[in-house]
Amino acid sequence: MAENKVFIFDTTLRDGEQVPGCKLNTKEKIELALALESLGVDIIEAGFPISSPGDFESVSEISKIIKNATVCGLSRAVEKDIEVAGEALKHAKRGRIHTGIGTSDSHIKNKFNSNREEILVRAVQAVKWARRYTDDIEFYAEDAGRTENEYLAKVVEAVIAAGATTVNIPDTTGYCLPHQYGEKIAYLMNNVKDVDKAVISCHCHNDLGLATANSIAGAIAGARQIECTINGLGERAGNTALEEVVMVFRQHANLGLYTNIDPTQLNPISRLVSDTMRMPVQPNKAIVGANAFSHSSGIHQDGFLKNALTYEIIRPEEVGAENSKIVLTARSGRSALAYRFKNLGFEFNRNDIDTLYDQFLKMADTLKEVEDENLRRLAKQYQDSFIA
Ligand code: KIV
Ligand code: ZN
């Protein structure tokens, strides 16, 4: 295994599916799991088997079908949860149990009414229970983002000694700043005995809009798995967006980090997830939003039409998006207008465009966007004015 490969752990079907209104049935989950496998994700978190009979069935059926990716089931650090996850994953070619417990003082006190020593014991016990079913065990230290580093390192060391092969450091509340999250991962890399026996994983939430930045900071500091979702779906403000992480590593090749993801599938799978979950993608969403490759202001359009690289760092075909768009609004310029007329089959010279541009602006001020039909009408009126 190459040292600089970052494993992509997709949790669209678990953390993403927790979004109100995004619940999926087994058939839908299977369809998305197959698409995720084809995309090249390394691990598919298929669900939380003890949470409902339907989710148990989904994890079990996905385990039977998926051949290349690892299939993962979530559990709490509870013996019955882990047993049910083990049962749901029993047909998996590669099955992983993801178990864990809250480690921040807030979780320890408010959720468990417990103390650090007891939580450490429960963490180790959970990993031991999981070992009855598989050797591929991921431990999550919930709310690690707000867990004091020294205690977190103790927990991570203990669960690795107990057999955890991946240790997830979730910023559950999306609290950390990128440098803080990076320093947390670096602290663990430098202070946990046998840290190299496990993969350290980033699971960042987007409450402050920093999920992707935090995951990247974690990977730069040594984490080699990122947990993410298509379109950044997930609890509250969501999780790290898979498409963003993949393209950050591609754009910044000097980081030396890479994933196994086929970028040309990013837009098609974004639409598939959006349609299946009935959850629209915000138009300005990076990589997969409807406006990710649209240019609307005159200055940008002019530069883009001279050379796409002036205003686009990614070619749309690289991420399976439709061609870049020149959108006409009252902020657009003459070169964009001429370009759009030309695409519609109207060749106008510079003087024509000057006249048409004034008429275009009057129209554009009354519309959100000037469409092809408006342009055709404008061109026709202009041509007719010479006949009259
Ligand atoms: O955000 C979180 O802490 C989680 C864990 C269950 C991994 O989703
Ligand atoms: Zn989460």
Side-chain angles (χ1 to χ4, degrees):
M1 180 210 322
E3 241 193 11
N4 289 337
K5 172 174 171 179
V6 177
F7 289 91
I8 294 294
F9 175 113
D10 181 277
T11 182
T12 307
L13 303 182
R14 198 279 296 168
D15 218 318
E17 202 237 13
Q18 287 169 210
V19 174
C22 285
K23 201 198 137 322
L24 301 168
N25 60 35
T26 298
K27 189 169 163 281
E28 292 166 329
K29 275 201 166 188
I30 290 173
E31 187 188 2
L32 293 187
L34 289 168
L36 289 166
E37 184 176 48
S38 150
L39 177 70
V41 311
D42 300 286
I43 303 106
I44 298 171
E45 188 164 48
F48 184 6
I50 203 164
S51 66
S52 76
D55 220 31
F56 179 92
E57 184 194 51
S58 296
V59 176
S60 178
E61 293 306 313
I62 289 171
S63 297
K64 291 176 193 163
I65 287 169
I66 294 297
K67 293 288 171 270
N68 300 320
T70 295
V71 179
C72 176
L74 184 75
S75 70
R76 294 165 296 183
V78 171
E79 191 172 11
K80 187 69 187 164
D81 276 39
I82 294 168
E83 182 193 324
V84 173
E87 178 64 22
L89 292 164
K90 74 177 180 203
H91 299 291
K93 194 161 170 218
R94 293 187 198 86
R96 172 179 299 184
I97 294 180
H98 189 191
T99 189
I101 196 162
T103 53
S104 66
D105 287 336
S106 159
H107 279 226
I108 293 174
K109 185 164 173 292
N110 302 317
K111 264 173 74 174
F112 303 115
N113 189 22
S114 184
N115 57 59
R116 288 183 174 187
E117 292 68 36
E118 197 178 282
I119 292 297
L120 188 67
V121 171
R122 286 170 69 174
V124 167
Q125 181 61 67
V127 173
K128 288 186 180 158
W129 284 324
R131 285 184 62 182
R132 293 176 183 159
Y133 308 98
T134 175
D135 290 334
D136 188 344
I137 300 156
E138 174 165 341
F139 177 84
Y140 63 86
E142 197 181 5
D143 204 16
R146 293 187 299 169
T147 300
E148 188 235 327
N149 285 348
E150 214 176 305
Y151 175 64
L152 184 62
K154 263 194 198 152
V155 175
V156 173
E157 192 165 303
V159 296
I160 292 174
T165 44
T166 303
V167 185
N168 179 8
I169 310 300
D171 185 20
T172 304
T173 57
Y175 170 76
C176 290
L177 293 170
H179 76 275
Q180 291 169 331
Y181 190 75
E183 280 164 17
K184 188 173 282 290
I185 299 294
Y187 183 88
L188 298 175
M189 299 306 294
N190 293 326
N191 290 283
V192 169
K193 183 167 164 262
D194 289 335
V195 72
D196 53 329
K197 289 199 173 142
V199 172
I200 298 297
S201 181
C202 310
H203 178 114
C204 297
H205 278 269
N206 206 31
D207 300 67
L208 292 173
L210 294 172
T212 298
N214 284 348
S215 294
I216 300 296
I220 290 171
R224 285 296 175 268
Q225 177 176 286
I226 291 181
E227 311 199 359
C228 45
T229 59
I230 303 294
N231 301 336
L233 290 168
E235 280 276 351
R236 306 182 309 283
N239 286 67
T240 300
L242 181 149
E243 59 276 7
E244 294 173 8
V245 163
V246 169
M247 292 315 293
V248 168
F249 292 148
R250 286 180 69 87
Q251 283 290 311
H252 293 274
N254 61 327
L255 292 176
L257 300 171
Y258 66 92
T259 73
N260 204 29
I261 299 297
D262 170 6
T264 64
Q265 296 189 38
L266 290 173
N267 269 272
I269 199 166
S270 161
R271 280 195 297 277
L272 178 67
V273 167
S274 167
D275 291 348
T276 313
M277 290 190 158
R278 292 162 286 278
M279 182 56 68
V281 177
Q282 71 191 67
N284 59 324
K285 172 76 189 63
I287 323 292
V288 295
N291 292 344
F293 299 97
S294 292
H295 304 273
S296 95
S297 92
I299 296 172
H300 288 215
Q301 290 171 330
D302 185 52
F304 172 80
L305 289 170
K306 286 175 176 147
N307 183 335
L309 290 177
T310 53
Y311 285 99
E312 273 184 1
I313 58 167
I314 299 168
R315 286 169 300 117
E317 61 271 22
E318 186 182 345
V319 292
E322 284 169 18
N323 287 343
S324 306
K325 284 194 213 82
I326 293 290
V327 178
L328 292 181
T329 72
R331 306 290 157 260
S332 299
R334 286 174 174 75
S335 34
L337 183 64
Y339 168 84
R340 285 283 298 273
F341 271 136
K342 194 167 173 206
N343 280 357
L344 293 174
F346 299 102
E347 291 277 359
F348 291 117
N349 64 29
R350 186 79 221 181
N351 287 341
D352 294 330
I353 288 293
D354 280 345
T355 313
L356 279 160
Y357 187 65
D358 290 340
Q359 294 167 16
F360 160 79
L361 280 184
K362 280 190 199 120
M363 176 188 270
D365 263 338
T366 67
L367 298 171
K368 290 264 185 229
E369 189 181 328
V370 178
E371 311 277 359
D372 284 351
E373 71 214 66
N374 308 117
L375 289 179
R376 281 199 195 91
R377 193 154 22 91
L378 205 61
K380 178 109 191 15
Q381 280 164 4
Y382 182 68
Q383 286 166 337
D384 288 351
S385 68
F386 292 104
I387 299 164

